[in-house]
Amino acid sequence: MKFLIDRSRDVITGKTDLEELHKFKRFPVFMGCTENPEKEDLLVDMTFWISKSSGMIQLNPVLPLEIVYQESHGSGFIGNSWASHHQKFAEFITKFSPKSVLEIGGGHGILAKNTKKLCCLDWTILEP
């Protein structure tokens, strides 16, 4: 697809030592409910890669942000299912006793707040 952005280098080190880990074929770009017919959904392969030298896991290729975030999908903060998910995920995280966490795309901060109630750690959120 013409709009995909090649990310064939480690985003931190710039090295080209990436190895494919897993691919989800025809993954839906928008993760929410719409009133549009299913046949109009944008589906793109989502492929995770790892840098053998740094351990950095990243997507390649990636979609432009204006496509991924073309409208809000209410992820993570609407409904009891999400509240339960964040609480259980916080409990799971604390089992590993991390000293710090880098959360990418956690703009609402709910997971960070839930986890920090259970243990003391540094939490950084990177929001595109």
Side-chain angles (χ1 to χ4, degrees):
M1 298 184 163
K2 292 181 182 179
F3 51 80
L4 292 174
I5 301 166
D6 181 55
R7 190 194 274 171
S8 56
R9 296 179 174 273
D10 181 312
V11 295
I12 304 297
T13 67
K15 292 186 178 180
T16 58
D17 62 346
L18 299 178
E19 179 180 309
E20 186 175 326
L21 292 175
H22 188 74
K23 180 183 294 188
F24 293 101
K25 294 220 177 247
R26 298 180 40 80
F27 196 84
V29 171
F30 181 72
M31 297 298 290
C33 297
T34 71
E35 295 182 11
N36 300 328
E38 185 178 342
K39 66 182 180 183
E40 293 181 14
D41 288 352
L42 178 59
L43 306 172
V44 178
D45 291 351
M46 183 168 65
T47 310
F48 291 86
W49 297 75
I50 187 168
S51 168
K52 292 185 258 181
S53 60
S54 73
M56 175 71 171
I57 296 175
Q58 64 188 48
L59 294 172
N60 182 43
V62 294
L63 292 157
L65 293 178
E66 57 272 11
I67 291 177
V68 175
Y69 296 108
Q70 57 190 297
E71 64 181 274
S72 176
H73 57 283
S75 173
F77 61 91
I78 298 175
N80 291 332
S81 293
W82 274 115
S84 176
H85 163 78
H86 285 301
Q87 184 57 43
K88 293 210 180 304
F89 194 26
E91 292 166 8
F92 173 78
I93 290 168
T94 60
K95 289 180 182 178
F96 296 93
S97 303
K99 292 184 175 55
S100 63
V101 171
L102 171 62
E103 181 180 8
I104 300 174
H108 46 64
I110 295 171
L111 181 59
K113 290 175 190 171
N114 286 358
T115 307
K116 291 184 81 146
K117 288 177 187 173
L118 300 171
C119 68
C120 183
L121 72 162
D122 291 326
W123 196 290
T124 302
I125 295 174
L126 177 63
E127 184 63 50

